[in-house]
Amino acid sequence: MQAPTLLVDIDHRPAVSLDGAWHYIVDPYRNGWGDDPDKPNLNGYAKNAHFNGTDLVEYDFATSPVLQVPGDWNSQHDNLLLYEGLVWYEKDFSHQPKAGMRTFLHFGAANHRASVFVNDVHVCDHEGGFTPFDCEVTNVLKPEGNFVVVAVDDSRRPDTVPAMKTDWWNYGGLTRQVFLVDVPQSYVDDYSLQLRRGAGDQIEGYVHLVGSKAGSALTLRIPELNVDRESTVGEDGNAKFSFAPQGLVRWAPDHPKLYRIQIKAGEDHLDDDIGFRTVEVEGDRILLNGKPIFLRGINTHAEAPYRGGRAWSQQDADTLLGWVHELHGNFVRLAHYPHDEHMTREADKLGILVWSEVPTYWSIDWKGAHALESAKQQLSENIRRDHNKASVILWSVSNETPKSPERLIFLKALVDEAHAQDPTRLVTSALLTHMDGKTAILDDPLGASLDVLGSNEYIGWYNGKPEDAPLYTWQNPYNKPLIMSEWGGGAKSGLHGEINARFSEEMQAEIFKQQLAMLSKIPFLAGTTPWVLMDFRSPTRQLPNIQDFYNRKGVISNKGIKKKAFFVLQDYYAKLAH
Ligand code: GCB
């Protein structure tokens, strides 16, 4: 078995889809796995045996029910709504192995742990519910009669990231697209092209080749900019590029210009559409293309509008980001984990800036090696997948993590990792705010390592009254830009009352008005993302007839109905935008 890899820009390669109906078996007692918790028994369900009426076989995928892939299992069958644990997936497929080609099986995401078996061979394992992975299956495919079995386990554990408690539904399963991709023996697995800060229109980067000899040549073309350059691969597999094209138009929210880039390396070629821009910090300002920008944002979960469940499709991305546009927003925080790649692709096209986060959320096993390794892996996979998206300007390493010395060591390691892997973007975190009476102090020690501070505060909902907000003063000992990364309150769509009536649209709208009054007076504020775009399912929200397992802090209901607060925010952003 090999460790999975991750092919950058894989969604632009020709692919054979394995989406659709997969047979599944729910296995709460881990019967098909075997006794060793870390190692599956290959004679268990992975074997994909069939009951023939004579031999004793106590499972059979072929006669088991089906789940749609992509899709979480919880929202597809009523009896799986609350299920957390092991589920087995199986699909038969044809794929003729092609001479001289390598084949990868791509998973957009599997929440939370996946073990993949193809034709009786254990091909890879992956942990982390929101990032993609690619397993090589070249040597196990047959001309006919292939099958893939995936054991997906979403049990929460104290040492995973996230850990035992989150304020969102633990949607399990093969939640994003699955496909097969053929590549030549020597292929491009990664590339990065970025404008260098402070160097005019100088583009720098690399194309990384697997399976090629040092000295092999490859070309990079950007036809619209008359770029046609050759470079050679070094010992490390990288071919480096550095050039300053004439007439470059920079990517920006009001002009999200993307260029078609074409990479040709031997028999492999890869196209992408990418934008070029710089993002940096100067004092307490965020500069996009050298100019200060105010981030008119909102948070969103990857919750599918209208139908519910985990979002994954182009249509989900169109709806969610379409609402951000309708708000006159130019920024979105993809809370609290990497969202489907359709989101960042669409943000690139629409000109919406992105805060992208890993699920280091609330309490984590700060001392354990496993949690740190998993968080680093998820961060690396997130950066690798999206490091050519102009829309992504911020990597966030965590959300609302209570202060402790161990937590600081852990999170600093993630900040260092993000800086090392991507020196062209900014690193942030949504921090808990230290309140001293009506003074809010941004003195979390992690702030010293961040480029941009994020602060979550719920004045008017979890503490005090809505009208308290404008009475607060904010102190920023770090002289760094602040994004007010969460604030808001709950409202059930259609529930009306006085401005102090909990869960009324009026109270939520009042919280928004008072918060905006406070925010407009904070001099170092560089942007904000209220909580949250749309209501989302959460096991912690139990109030009957109001919450019914939904966090109701959306400015839009899960059925797509806009609440009063939506229009308060829309007015505010419209004025800022014009
Ligand atoms: C927070 C969390 C977010 C919750 C939200 C709430 O601070 O970051 O995940 O959903 O508050 O509604 O309480």
Side-chain angles (χ1 to χ4, degrees):
M1 190 187 46
Q2 290 182 346
T5 174
L6 197 163
L7 272 62
V8 169
D9 196 29
I10 195 167
D11 56 331
H12 281 159
R13 290 186 178 270
V16 174
S17 173
L18 295 187
D19 291 350
W22 288 55
H23 290 287
Y24 77 97
I25 296 173
V26 184
D27 191 9
Y29 283 22
R30 307 181 65 82
N31 195 44
W33 182 273
D35 295 332
D36 184 341
D38 299 320
K39 211 163 149 240
N41 173 2
L42 290 180
N43 287 316
Y45 296 177
K47 185 101 194 145
N48 189 22
H50 295 288
F51 179 59
N52 60 14
T54 310
D55 301 325
L56 182 59
V57 176
E58 295 186 273
Y59 72 96
D60 195 342
F61 284 107
T63 48
S64 294
V66 296
L67 281 165
Q68 291 302 315
V69 173
D72 61 275
W73 62 62
N74 313 77
S75 62
Q76 294 193 48
H77 294 293
D78 288 347
N79 61 343
L80 295 180
L81 179 66
L82 289 161
Y83 182 74
E84 294 181 293
L86 179 60
V87 172
W88 296 81
Y89 285 74
E90 189 277 337
K91 192 171 180 75
D92 298 335
F93 65 96
S94 341
H95 190 74
Q96 288 282 346
K98 293 192 190 81
M101 299 292 268
R102 297 173 69 168
T103 306
F104 287 87
L105 177 56
H106 170 84
F107 293 88
N111 189 34
H112 180 86
R113 272 172 299 280
S115 293
V116 183
F117 312 87
V118 174
N119 298 339
D120 250 353
V121 180
H122 187 181
V123 289
C124 70
D125 289 336
H126 184 262
E127 179 172 333
F130 304 95
T131 41
F133 58 99
D134 303 315
C135 305
E136 179 154 19
V137 293
T138 315
N139 296 329
V140 296
L141 292 182
K142 304 182 283 187
E144 264 169 68
N146 295 288
F147 65 86
V148 50
V149 172
V150 190
V152 186
D153 184 351
D154 77 340
S155 340
R156 284 168 292 120
R157 292 189 194 167
D159 66 346
T160 52
V161 178
M164 296 304 283
K165 195 167 177 192
T166 59
D167 187 19
W168 72 79
W169 210 264
N170 183 22
Y171 288 121
L174 297 178
T175 52
R176 296 183 192 157
Q177 290 172 298
V178 181
F179 50 79
L180 290 159
V181 158
D182 292 322
V183 296
Q185 289 297 328
S186 163
Y187 62 94
V188 176
D189 71 332
D190 184 21
Y191 85 92
S192 161
L193 288 173
Q194 306 279 333
L195 276 180
R196 208 177 88 198
R197 284 179 190 147
D201 285 344
Q202 188 73 23
I203 293 175
E204 290 189 345
Y206 62 84
V207 175
H208 187 260
L209 274 178
V210 176
S212 77
K213 289 198 200 81
S216 336
L218 61 80
T219 57
L220 168 70
R221 296 185 66 229
I222 311 178
E224 231 189 304
L225 289 170
N226 295 317
V227 171
D228 188 348
R229 304 191 75 89
E230 196 173 293
S231 177
T232 48
V233 176
E235 291 296 336
D236 59 358
N238 281 327
K240 301 230 167 61
F241 287 94
S242 177
F243 54 92
Q246 290 294 305
L248 178 80
V249 175
R250 293 199 178 199
W251 185 100
D254 54 1
H255 190 267
K257 173 69 192 157
L258 299 178
Y259 288 99
R260 170 57 53 97
I261 66 132
Q262 301 171 329
I263 298 167
K264 192 154 176 4
E267 284 168 34
D268 198 19
H269 47 90
L270 195 62
D271 287 3
D272 201 351
D273 297 302
I274 67 169
F276 298 99
R277 50 102 196 96
T278 56
V279 63
E280 61 206 302
V281 155
E282 193 177 79
D284 58 20
R285 295 294 93 192
I286 294 174
L287 308 184
L288 189 78
N289 295 324
K291 287 193 231 107
I293 183 162
F294 187 83
L295 303 171
R296 307 184 303 274
I298 190 149
N299 284 283
T300 183
H301 263 290
E303 185 92 8
Y306 306 108
R307 70 168 196 280
R310 185 56 78 227
W312 63 269
S313 69
Q314 179 63 41
Q315 202 184 341
D316 295 334
D318 288 346
T319 307
L320 293 167
L321 295 179
W323 283 331
V324 177
H325 249 186
E326 241 184 289
L327 282 167
H328 300 283
N330 61 7
F331 180 51
V332 68
R333 173 172 173 227
L334 303 181
H336 287 295
Y337 39 76
H339 289 210
D340 188 273
E341 194 165 359
H342 285 111
M343 286 293 273
T344 43
R345 287 264 181 230
E346 196 55 28
D348 263 13
K349 287 189 199 141
L350 291 176
I352 294 176
L353 297 158
V354 171
W355 162 318
S356 179
E357 190 158 295
V358 288
T360 325
Y361 181 93
W362 289 353
S363 287
I364 296 288
D365 176 18
W366 304 118
K367 291 185 203 160
H370 183 81
L372 182 57
E373 189 193 326
S374 174
K376 278 189 181 171
Q377 182 199 314
Q378 295 182 59
L379 180 70
S380 307
E381 290 170 343
N382 194 30
I383 293 175
R384 183 166 162 120
R385 189 194 72 176
D386 278 349
H387 65 183
N388 291 307
K389 312 283 196 308
S391 55
V392 179
I393 53 167
L394 286 152
W395 302 120
S396 164
V397 296
S398 57
N399 176 76
E400 278 190 5
T401 48
K403 279 181 223 163
S404 73
E406 298 80 19
R407 166 260 192 193
L408 190 59
I409 293 168
F410 186 113
L411 293 182
K412 270 185 167 170
L414 293 189
V415 173
D416 289 348
E417 193 78 31
H419 278 140
Q421 290 188 23
D422 184 358
T424 71
R425 289 180 176 77
L426 307 175
V427 179
T428 190
S429 161
L431 305 169
L432 286 161
T433 305
H434 168 195
M435 301 286 193
D436 181 5
K438 294 239 173 343
T439 307
I441 311 161
L442 300 164
D443 60 358
D444 187 313
L446 186 65
S449 309
L450 301 172
D451 302 308
V452 174
L453 309 174
S455 171
N456 293 0
E457 50 86 11
Y458 280 86
I459 302 165
W461 185 258
Y462 291 127
N463 56 302
K465 298 202 164 48
E467 62 270 27
D468 294 341
L471 308 176
Y472 275 74
T473 49
W474 286 77
Q475 290 180 6
N476 181 354
Y478 291 116
N479 184 35
K480 292 183 179 183
L482 167 68
I483 295 175
M484 204 65 86
S485 41
E486 284 184 33
W487 50 270
K492 166 103 192 238
S493 157
L495 186 73
H496 295 287
E498 299 298 320
I499 56 170
N500 61 357
R502 284 273 167 183
F503 296 107
S504 68
E505 288 197 33
E506 284 70 16
M507 179 164 176
Q508 188 191 35
E510 181 63 15
I511 291 172
F512 271 61
K513 283 181 202 154
Q514 300 287 356
Q515 282 277 345
L516 294 171
M518 174 184 79
L519 296 182
S520 54
K521 291 189 303 192
I522 302 178
F524 42 82
L525 190 76
T528 185
T529 48
W531 190 256
V532 56
L533 184 62
M534 194 188 80
D535 292 352
F536 60 94
R537 224 178 217 143
S538 168
T540 68
R541 309 294 168 175
Q542 307 258 2
L543 185 65
N545 304 320
I546 294 199
Q547 293 178 314
D548 301 312
F549 273 151
Y550 275 86
N551 183 313
R552 296 286 180 204
K553 293 191 189 73
V555 294
I556 301 177
S557 80
N558 49 306
K559 294 291 169 207
I561 301 168
K562 296 178 177 116
K563 307 178 195 173
K564 282 177 180 290
F566 179 95
F567 300 101
V568 175
L569 188 64
Q570 189 185 44
D571 275 4
Y572 185 78
Y573 282 168
K575 284 186 192 114
L576 286 184
H578 297 117

